Amino acid sequence: MDWDAIVVGGGVAGLVAARSLASDGLRTLVLEARDEPGGAVRGHTVAGLRLDAGAESFATRGGAVKALADELSLPVVAPEPVGSWVHLASGDGPLPRTGLLGIPSQPWSARRTIGVLGALRASLDLVLPRSADPATLGALVRQRMGSRVLDRLVRPVVGGVHAADPDDLSVDAVAPGLAAARSRGSLARAVRSMRASAPAGAAALGIDGGMHLLVDALLADLRARGCEVRTGSTVSTVSPMSPATGAQPSDAGWRVLVTTGSDGPAPESAPRLVLATPGAPELLGLPTGDPDPGAEVTLVTLVLRAPALDHAPRGTGVLVAPEAADVVAKALTHGTAKWAWLAREAGRGTHVVRLSYGRAGAAVTELPDVALALRDASRLLGVPLHDDQLLGSATVRWTQALPRPSEAHRAVVAAVRSAVAELPGVAVCGAWVAGNGLASVVPDARAAARSLV
Ligand SMILES: Cc1cc2nc3c(=O)[nH]c(=O)nc-3n(C[C@H](O)[C@H](O)[C@H](O)COP(=O)(O)OP(=O)(O)OC[C@H]3O[C@@H](n4cnc5c(N)ncnc54)[C@H](O)[C@@H]3O)c2cc1C
């Protein structure tokens, strides 16, 4: 065998799995199709600033990402406590600061955004008896708190985080633990108890210097453990190897065919194989169907000379309700208002704003470009912004990077997991099985690697 373990996919899931395998003394090879590892957590440089091209924070839920950052000696920081906003057809309003996916833990405190009638309806949640649990997050919020909480708070937040609609998502997929915390029925109380049992401080944290430093640190750590990370290397075929006649059963394993650059496919083999890509069912030839690819998301980052943004007019950013027709973006992050390290690096008067485009099921009416992003940013931040203020920009398109955790997707994942359990030496991991977000991906990748050791 060429290696003790092969990992296909060099996103955070693959890198974390490889780190676990290598720390058990296994000679591990990571194969990554792109020229740069990190997947949705890679970085890029815009107007001289090193920024996150994808993920820019992590949920503290479960503690696994913070623990990983600590192991890698990465300084963890909290976002600035300036809150965030929602942009509605009827105007702008603040989002509840202690909510979960927009579900307020104190319905009355959201009245500025959902109106007095909406807040009264939402408060009924505290007294309504528990009835049968609806299948989707959207139905649950509508049942307990009414349609204003759903339309004005939860739908914009879920659209921003998962590029999906709450009516398409099961509660467990996007809010693990919420159903269990709802022992007495109330959603607000469940959110409150989840927030209280979470580690002290913010529900999401970042890394001083950007989340992409997690990838840099993982790569350095893997190199130190003797693990090889080969980029520009696409795995096109995976096949089981039977032990040669007379050989030990331990010679059974897996062969992958790898295309690197313009070289034709070359084989690599190992007794252990981790597939950290949503292409795993196809690579393994499983009759399970494919995971949901999710919406295509395009991020447009603008670096602007705009002292009018120094006072962070919309806090850390704005989520956009789907029915707000004056803006095409679904979310805006004001990076320099959210992260003190970024404000420091950019310098006073210079701002980083990032607009996110693409909702599941929504037809793309306008391909986002810098002009559209400037117009949207101007409307969302309530500040005129012109192209002569632009110091730099970048447009990054993400496909297959935010699988939509629908019921159908979960059924495929369950079928894949049970089929893979029958394949000796194989494990799968990544957001497509674990759920979107590093808080789900990191512990799942560790578990996948452990299952092979
Ligand atoms: C725009 C965006 C913003 C996000 N923001 C956040 C956030 O703020 N906080 C958070 O917690 N999460 C966030 N997420 C989600 C989080 O980044 C992902 O859930 C997580 O990074 C997924 O990691 P992964 O390794 O499973 O997949 P990926 O990062 O997609 O990595 C998979 C890798 O496999 C490679 N690959 C695929 N096929 C092959 C093949 N055949 N051969 C070799 N290599 C292959 C791909 O090139 C890719 O690098 C965001 C996601 C996106 C897209």
Side-chain angles (χ1 to χ4, degrees), residues 8-14 31-34 36-42 53-59 161 211 233-236 276-279 283 297 299 354 398 400-402 429-432 435-439 441:
V8 181
V12 165
L31 296 165
E32 165 53 45
R34 296 179 59 95
E36 175 183 15
V41 190
R42 61 181 186 271
E56 44 108 51
S57 64
F58 61 90
V161 175
M211 280 310 294
S233 300
T234 305
V235 172
S236 53
T277 140
L283 285 172
V297 174
L299 299 183
R354 188 170 87 166
W398 296 98
Q400 293 217 327
L402 275 176
C429 63
W432 65 284
N436 287 317
L438 298 169
V441 166

Side-chain angles (χ1 to χ4, degrees), residues 259-413:
T259 307
T260 305
S262 54
D263 298 345
E268 295 284 355
S269 60
R272 299 170 192 81
L273 177 65
V274 177
L275 295 169
T277 140
E282 199 184 332
L283 285 172
L284 290 168
L286 300 178
T288 50
D290 293 325
D292 189 315
E296 282 190 10
V297 174
T298 302
L299 299 183
V300 184
T301 299
L302 308 174
V303 180
L304 296 156
R305 185 77 203 140
L309 296 180
D310 282 351
H311 71 291
R314 292 291 179 267
T316 59
V318 190
L319 290 152
V320 182
E323 75 277 1
D326 60 330
V327 168
V328 183
K330 64 174 179 142
L332 173 150
T333 304
H334 187 170
T336 30
K338 185 167 184 178
W339 304 111
W341 64 265
L342 187 52
R344 227 173 22 244
E345 281 178 25
R348 207 170 164 70
T350 295
H351 288 272
V352 178
V353 296
R354 188 170 87 166
L355 293 110
S356 170
Y357 293 86
R359 295 181 196 268
V364 180
T365 49
E366 230 173 321
L367 273 182
D369 59 13
V370 171
L372 175 66
L374 264 175
R375 193 196 74 191
D376 282 352
S378 209
R379 286 187 184 158
L380 290 172
L381 293 164
V383 166
L385 297 168
H386 304 289
D387 52 7
D388 58 359
Q389 293 171 266
L390 198 61
L391 303 176
S393 69
T395 301
V396 181
R397 200 159 146 250
W398 296 98
T399 52
Q400 293 217 327
L402 275 176
R404 185 172 38 157
S406 59
E407 278 302 327
H409 174 79
R410 283 158 62 81
V412 170
V413 168

